[in-house]
Structure formats: C-alpha cells, structure tokens
Amino acid sequence: MRSDTTLKAFTEQEFAKAKVLLATQVANMMGRKLEETDWNEVYCAAKDIPRSGWSNLNIDVNYSGLGVEQKLLRVSGLGERPIKSVCGTTMMHPAATRSIRIEKTELPAETVMRNVFQQYSDLIDIRTEKVRENSAGKEPDMRLGWLLWEDSLTEFLYFEEPLVAPLPDNYYAEWNETPPKGTRKGSKSLWIYEQGSHQKRYSVTTSAGIKIQPYFDVPAPSDENLYYFRVQSEPVDYDTVQIWVSSTTAKAIQRELGNLEKDNVSNALIKTANRFSIEDAEISVREKDLAQPILISRKAFEIFKSTWEGISDEHRAQLFLKSLYKMK
C-alpha cells in the first residue's frame, strides 16, 4: 500500500471539471454523508470514462487499462484548521479489504503476516487480470486513490499512488492483545511494522470481521499530484468569497435580483438579513443540477453564514431565496 511516488490523476481540464462536479454533488447532498459512490461518479465523469460503480467486491475504476481502487476517509476534529493540516502526516484507513482469512491466531505473527500478504497479493493479481481483460493489449495501470474529506464537505484532498502488494521481507509483525474490560470483549490484532523505519504500516483485525487496516502517508502540499478541492465558501481575495449553489437556485436568485453581480447580491444579502424568518423553508433542487459559483463580499458572506444557518452554501442560498420571496 505504501509508495514514495504519487501519480498524476487529472489533467488541468479534468481537475477543473472535477471541482464543478464535486461542488454539484455536495449541493445536491444537502448535508447527508459522503458515500464512495459519490466520488466514483465525480471521478469518472471528470475523466469522461464509463462509470462502473463503486464496489467492495471489484475494483472501482476499470477502463482501457486503468484500474483504480478508491478509498475515502473522513478527517474529523479539525476545528478551524484547514484540511491541508494533515499533509505530511500518516493516517489509518479502517479497511483496505475484508477479503482476508486468518485460520489460526495461535501461529507466530511472522507466519500470519506472510499469509495475509500472500492473500492480499493474490487479490491484487485477480483485480489486475480483470483490468487486463479490458485494456486492449495495454499493460494495466493499477492505482490506489485516496480521497480525504472533512465534516462540513467544504475541503477535500485527493491523490493516487501505485497499487502494489507489500513485500513480506520489508516488514515484521507482532501480535497485540487487548484484555477484556467491563462488558467489552478482548481482541487480538496483528500489527505490522516497516523494517528500518519501524513505523506501523498495517493492522489486521481478527474480531468483528477480519480486515486489513493500512497506514498511508498524505503527501506534502507542494506535491504536484496532490489535488485540493474547496467547493463551498471559497475565499477569492481579501474582500470576496465564492459560494457554490445549484444552477436552479442561482437562476432563481437572478430572477429576483436582476443579475448576479457581486455588489448586487451582497447588498441584497445584507438588506434581506434584517427580515429573515426562522420559519423560512428551502426550495427543492433538481438532481444533478450543476453547481454555479456566486461572488459576494466578505461582509455579506459573514451575514449569509450567520443569518441563514444551513448545512451548506446551497442550503443557505435556498433560505435566502425564500426570504426574497417573502419580501415581495
């Protein structure tokens, strides 16, 4: 799972498209939890490749020799810190795969580690062959993609690295046993460390379902293959914030205000905030309605955020629009 080399995932055009599509996805989600299939849809559409659909059983992207296993991880507890604060750190994913079996936990840790690595290697080989079948003679390009996201669905990080099986000789393992405590049962896990650095790189659980939990390194912010997305409340300059809303909501606001010029929208936000009712309800958003950016002043944004306490830019914009309707 570990690699010292990140891989280029998007062209500039694909990255720009992915940002709009991700903003669209977030606007339509209206605060629900991000699912693996959400990112799979954005990724495939941005690269203009057929969507095979996210799956625990098969590789997530399989097109013309490209095979990508995609993993998502929510980064909680950031507070006011940006998501880039995790760059350069090592993080753990709760499950790389559940397609692993451990027959006897009484065996030496080293023996079980090698068996687990062999099973994981076999799984990668199987998925590589599936990609090869659709590669039209190309050698499969097997990758592991990591999407990190934070609770408010405002900032995201994405990067890819080669999907390769770990070499057993580069690691060593130890059993870790947690004794029972109160009503909690004891547990036993296989902790796998990297030779040389002695960093923990995998944890293999043996209770409540066997799974490999990998530790992965988040690239530095300067890594050209690390992709940063901000799809809500995006600062543009010292006095401008860009909010992302569905085009349906943007068009409705434009109908009410005449245009979406920064000063016009900002003045309307400041004026309307004084007449906002907590009973205002949101309007509906058509599914897959592309997101659109609207520029407002920083002062108007602070009022927008504090007055219409929604779960996203889209939700707040809907509440603002409802206020405009009531002012007629």
Side-chain angles (χ1 to χ4, degrees):
M1 303 286 285
R2 188 187 186 193
S3 172
D4 294 328
T5 305
T6 55
L7 301 170
K8 185 179 179 67
F10 298 111
T11 64
E12 288 187 14
Q13 293 78 11
E14 289 170 346
F15 173 68
K17 188 176 179 182
K19 180 173 181 176
V20 174
L21 292 169
L22 186 56
T24 299
Q25 202 76 9
V26 169
N28 282 275
M29 286 164 61
M30 292 299 285
R32 71 166 171 81
K33 181 180 180 293
L34 183 74
E35 303 288 349
E36 284 85 352
T37 188
D38 293 317
W39 173 245
N40 183 266
E41 183 174 342
V42 168
Y43 183 91
C44 291
K47 296 179 74 67
D48 197 24
I49 62 179
R51 183 172 173 242
S52 54
W54 178 86
S55 171
N56 265 323
L57 302 176
N58 301 302
I59 196 157
D60 304 307
V61 175
N62 181 353
Y63 179 72
S64 190
L66 176 65
V68 186
E69 185 79 23
Q70 293 179 332
K71 298 297 178 184
L72 277 63
L73 183 66
R74 182 173 68 178
V75 183
S76 297
L78 287 174
E80 296 298 317
R81 292 182 295 131
I83 196 169
K84 284 186 179 181
S85 63
V86 303
C87 288
T89 68
T90 298
M91 306 190 74
M92 188 270 283
H93 191 279
T97 177
R98 296 179 184 271
S99 302
I100 299 295
R101 297 292 177 266
I102 295 178
E103 299 298 332
K104 296 180 180 180
T105 58
E106 297 80 13
L107 293 174
E110 199 78 12
T111 301
V112 176
M113 179 195 75
R114 290 180 177 274
N115 181 267
V116 166
F117 278 176
Q118 185 59 58
Q119 291 181 63
Y120 185 54
S121 178
D122 292 343
L123 179 64
I124 293 176
D125 288 344
I126 290 171
R127 294 187 172 179
T128 302
E129 285 306 310
K130 288 288 186 181
V131 174
R132 183 173 281 112
E133 291 172 5
N134 296 328
S135 67
K138 300 178 185 175
E139 184 60 25
D141 180 4
M142 304 298 292
R143 301 179 173 212
L144 185 61
W146 298 100
L147 180 75
L148 307 181
W149 54 284
E150 43 77 41
D151 295 327
S152 69
L153 298 175
T154 297
E155 295 183 303
F156 299 78
L157 294 174
Y158 182 73
F159 66 97
E160 291 181 355
E161 56 188 1
L163 176 59
V164 294
L167 298 175
D169 289 345
N170 293 340
Y171 301 86
Y172 65 92
E174 295 179 356
W175 284 114
N176 177 69
E177 296 190 51
T178 303
K181 186 176 182 180
T183 58
R184 294 182 60 183
K185 297 181 179 179
S187 63
K188 189 173 185 179
S189 300
L190 185 71
W191 286 359
I192 301 175
Y193 300 87
E194 187 177 48
Q195 297 278 7
S197 71
H198 303 291
Q199 283 187 292
K200 188 193 295 183
R201 303 310 302 188
Y202 301 92
S203 177
V204 185
T205 63
T206 62
S207 59
I210 297 172
K211 56 188 177 182
I212 297 178
Q213 299 177 320
Y215 290 74
F216 64 96
D217 301 323
V218 184
S222 58
D223 191 314
E224 63 181 6
N225 295 324
L226 177 68
Y227 300 89
Y228 168 73
F229 300 93
R230 179 155 185 156
V231 297
Q232 295 193 77
S233 307
E234 183 177 9
V236 175
D237 57 40
Y238 76 98
D239 188 45
T240 309
V241 176
Q242 181 170 263
I243 62 173
W244 285 88
V245 303
S246 67
S247 59
T248 295
T249 300
K251 289 174 183 176
I253 294 174
Q254 183 173 2
R255 283 196 300 269
E256 295 300 309
L257 301 183
N259 63 66
L260 294 177
E261 294 297 323
K262 173 185 169 182
D263 289 344
N264 192 36
V265 177
S266 298
N267 290 334
L269 281 166
I270 295 170
K271 178 181 178 181
T272 308
N274 296 325
R275 301 181 61 176
F276 170 70
S277 169
I278 196 67
E279 296 178 354
D280 288 346
E282 69 259 23
I283 59 174
S284 61
V285 180
R286 288 201 302 266
E287 189 176 0
K288 307 311 174 192
D289 186 13
L290 280 179
Q292 178 177 336
I294 298 178
L295 299 177
I296 57 178
S297 69
R298 187 169 293 276
K299 177 182 177 182
F301 172 71
E302 293 302 326
I303 292 174
F304 175 67
K305 185 172 64 172
S306 61
T307 302
W308 293 278
E309 295 184 6
I311 53 181
S312 63
D313 283 353
E314 171 64 24
H315 188 206
R316 295 185 189 98
Q318 287 184 14
L319 295 173
F320 165 60
L321 180 59
K322 198 68 176 179
S323 299
L324 289 176
Y325 290 159
K326 285 196 169 188
M327 288 178 64
K328 287 184 175 180

